[in-house]
Amino acid sequence: MTFSKTMLKGLQKAYRKEFPSELIHYLRITYGEEPFPYEYSEQDLYAQIQRDIDAYYAGKLEITV
């Protein structure tokens, strides 16, 4: 499973805010492809993305992609 527009819309609805374009770009690059030779489960993918979003808003996520 990879990051998709549907997932983005669901996360924005859950957080009740529009994400900045730099965060969306980071998430697309980071989670847009499966990590070869592994595959993300839906639960793992959501958990990792939520951690990154929380870290971004806390000022702890380095977004230099």
Side-chain angles (χ1 to χ4, degrees), residues 35-55:
F36 182 80
Y38 306 105
E39 185 175 318
Y40 292 124
S41 70
E42 184 175 1
Q43 183 177 1
D44 287 338
L45 185 60
Y46 271 104
Q48 289 179 19
I49 290 173
Q50 287 174 342
R51 270 188 247 130
D52 284 350
I53 292 170
D54 293 340

Side-chain angles (χ1 to χ4, degrees), residues 9-65:
K9 288 179 183 181
L11 287 165
Q12 288 178 337
K13 187 176 181 180
Y15 278 85
R16 298 180 183 185
K17 63 173 79 176
E18 291 286 321
F19 298 145
S21 60
E22 63 185 7
L23 177 59
I24 294 170
H25 183 68
Y26 172 81
L27 294 174
R28 283 186 179 148
I29 289 175
T30 306
Y31 301 107
E33 295 182 9
E34 297 288 351
F36 182 80
Y38 306 105
E39 185 175 318
Y40 292 124
S41 70
E42 184 175 1
Q43 183 177 1
D44 287 338
L45 185 60
Y46 271 104
Q48 289 179 19
I49 290 173
Q50 287 174 342
R51 270 188 247 130
D52 284 350
I53 292 170
D54 293 340
Y56 175 81
Y57 284 112
K60 297 179 182 178
L61 182 66
E62 183 67 34
I63 298 183
T64 52
V65 180

